[in-house]
Amino acid sequence: MTEPTLRSMRRRRVLLGLAAAAAPGWLGASTPSLGKARVVIVGGGIAGAACARWLRWLAPDLRIVLVETNATVYSGFFCNTVIAGLNPLTHVARQPAVLSDHRIEVVATAATGLDAGRRCVHLSDGRRLGADAIVLAPGIAMRDDSVAGFDATAMRDNPPAWPGGKSALAMVRRRLLTLPPGGVIAVAPPAAPYRCPPGPYERVSLFAHVLSRVNPRAKILIADAKDSFSKQTLFLEAWARHYPGMIEWIGRQDGGSVEHYAHASQTLYLASGDRIAADWAHVIPQQTAGRLAGIAGLVDRSGWVPVDASDFSVVGAQGIYAVGDATQAQPMPKSAFSAYNQARACAHAIVASLQGREATPGLLANTCYSMVTPDAAFSVSSLYAVQGGQLRIRNPDSQLSPLIASARERRREAEEAKALYGHLMHLCYGR
């Protein structure tokens, strides 16, 4: 494939993504007044912030309340670059309070319960917020029972930082930089589904970038709970090219699943019977929908919130919606861009419902970039259509970056990744 052809493919991909993310300024100009209606959104991450912004664009008079207990939230998208020292922590930090600049009421209090029947959110200060519609965007919670030995105490002392706050990200970076010369890192990614399917492998790549400069004899072993992973051929090619001999992947079929974690010795015991005595065992456990979704009884046996993909309403709970990583919305991955697109579709559906009309489901999109060096990235893009309340991939061959590409093309995708991140954050938070 020639360079111009590759460039055209990449340009079409990013333009598709940005077009899907664009927020036309004229939206809502002729919308009937919904000033007496109120929508409460729980969660101030990308999904919650995007839903709030889209509701404001679509219905200028709507009363919108966003509940987020954290003064600062951190995006999973690009958090690996913070660990690698490519960006400061402030790069992935956003303050939900800035949404008040867009006439969105931000309540900095924890949501402790949800009465779905009465459409009422309970707050830790004793208040109850009634609403015409409630949107849950609680993100994920880490399971402390998915790997024996990796309990709440071990998770506190050795955080997965997925995405993690200030202290967790700093701790992971410190462990990386203080690895003994020629030391071993064992990384244990979870079984699917989980937040950001290629994320653990991007993290390994950027770990290797740092180690190749400060600790070139170090090794990274990946003990995986899966038989394959997102963008596998692209990652394997990049590791062989940029970090030869440093990274080894052990899949589930070879006994790579971790059955036990020994915190004191940083040892992983594998299904194969082998053990990895690492200098640092970095475990990313399995995940479930954020705590509030479980308290409200809205998760199913999978641990995620089932939704109708035509409007992202929670199955069996009228007037309750859910977007982002907490949802069971396969085949869309749990990614920042997916969360944004789900929030956009949900906002359209809520406004249509409040106006007494049906919303027509549109196409949903996801574009996911992975950084393998500070100047090289690759991506995958997919379109999704709703059929019978279920999502189906519209382009089953999913646009994946070519396996063989020039350094210039990989650099171009890295720049596109940075541009998309900045654009997405601006759309969600206005800065």
Side-chain angles (χ1 to χ4, degrees):
M1 190 175 293
T2 65
E3 182 79 13
T5 302
L6 290 174
R7 185 181 306 121
S8 176
M9 183 187 300
R10 298 285 79 70
R11 182 175 293 113
R12 287 199 304 272
R13 181 179 301 166
V14 81
L15 288 176
L16 167 66
L18 294 179
W26 52 264
L27 278 172
S30 59
T31 302
S33 176
L34 293 174
K36 293 184 179 180
R38 177 161 75 171
V39 177
V40 173
I41 302 167
V42 181
I46 287 174
C51 191
R53 294 294 307 276
W54 269 98
L55 285 170
R56 175 55 66 231
W57 284 318
L58 292 166
D61 296 329
L62 182 65
R63 297 173 63 197
I64 305 168
V65 180
L66 184 137
V67 179
E68 172 56 61
T69 186
N70 296 304
T72 302
V73 295
Y74 299 90
S75 69
F77 192 9
F78 265 60
C79 75
N80 289 331
T81 69
V82 173
I83 294 171
L86 306 181
N87 285 303
L89 181 67
T90 53
H91 191 69
V92 297
R94 293 296 184 277
Q95 290 71 44
V98 301
L99 294 171
S100 61
D101 295 343
H102 305 281
R103 295 183 296 109
I104 295 163
E105 181 184 350
V106 179
V107 177
T109 305
T112 56
L114 170 68
D115 186 332
R118 292 184 171 85
R119 295 183 198 167
C120 181
V121 175
H122 299 185
L123 304 181
S124 60
D125 61 8
R127 283 184 292 168
R128 297 185 178 187
L129 298 177
D132 296 276
I134 294 172
V135 181
L136 294 180
I140 62 167
M142 291 290 173
R143 287 180 49 186
D144 60 9
D145 62 349
S146 65
V147 176
F150 198 71
D151 56 16
T153 299
M155 204 179 303
R156 180 199 63 205
D157 296 340
N158 187 15
W162 206 251
K166 180 178 180 179
S167 61
L169 290 170
M171 192 178 300
V172 172
R173 176 163 172 76
R174 184 165 60 251
R175 294 292 290 266
L176 177 65
L177 294 176
T178 58
L179 190 75
V184 174
I185 302 174
V187 177
Y194 59 93
R195 169 179 279 169
C196 191
Y201 313 96
E202 178 189 67
R203 181 167 290 188
V204 164
S205 303
L206 296 183
F207 279 180
H209 163 71
V210 173
L211 294 174
S212 66
R213 283 152 175 77
V214 303
N215 194 348
R217 293 187 296 109
K219 302 292 183 183
I220 305 174
L221 302 179
I222 306 171
D224 212 327
K226 301 181 293 300
D227 291 329
S228 61
F229 58 90
S230 177
K231 308 178 193 172
Q232 181 169 342
T233 57
L234 288 164
F235 276 111
L236 294 177
E237 189 279 332
W239 294 342
R241 176 188 297 268
H242 297 288
Y243 315 114
M246 182 175 279
I247 303 169
E248 179 183 351
W249 176 72
I250 308 168
R252 185 180 66 170
Q253 69 273 25
D254 295 319
S257 298
V258 177
E259 294 194 336
H260 183 76
Y261 162 83
H263 186 50
S265 63
Q266 292 294 288
T267 300
L268 298 181
Y269 294 84
L270 308 185
S272 64
D274 294 331
R275 65 186 180 91
I276 301 174
D279 296 283
W280 171 32
H282 184 53
V283 178
I284 303 169
Q286 289 184 239
Q287 297 147 31
T288 186
R291 182 171 174 270
L292 182 64
I295 291 173
L298 298 179
V299 300
D300 63 13
R301 294 178 62 184
S302 71
W304 305 100
V305 181
V307 294
D308 183 330
S310 63
D311 60 2
F312 288 89
S313 60
V314 176
V315 175
Q318 188 173 5
I320 310 297
Y321 301 78
V323 291
D325 293 341
T327 64
Q328 185 185 140
Q330 289 89 346
M332 286 192 89
K334 298 180 186 299
S335 72
F337 201 82
S338 289
Y340 179 87
N341 268 269
Q342 292 171 11
R344 173 179 57 84
C346 180
H348 275 277
I350 288 172
V351 171
S353 176
L354 293 175
Q355 293 172 344
R357 59 182 178 84
E358 288 190 13
T360 302
L363 288 177
L364 295 167
N366 178 64
T367 296
C368 179
Y369 289 89
S370 297
M371 305 287 292
V372 288
T373 78
D375 301 308
F378 39 71
S379 59
V380 62
S381 295
S382 296
L383 286 174
Y384 306 88
V386 179
Q387 297 177 1
Q390 300 295 316
L391 283 174
R392 300 284 185 265
I393 296 179
R394 180 72 175 268
N395 53 335
D397 54 347
S398 296
Q399 294 187 47
L400 188 66
S401 296
L403 181 60
I404 305 301
S406 67
R408 180 180 178 183
E409 184 59 29
R410 295 286 193 245
R411 186 179 309 112
R412 184 185 303 277
E413 290 216 64
E415 292 304 314
E416 289 174 357
K418 296 169 188 176
L420 179 59
Y421 179 77
H423 187 63
L424 199 60
M425 292 301 101
H426 178 73
L427 288 172
C428 291
Y429 298 99
R431 61 184 67 179

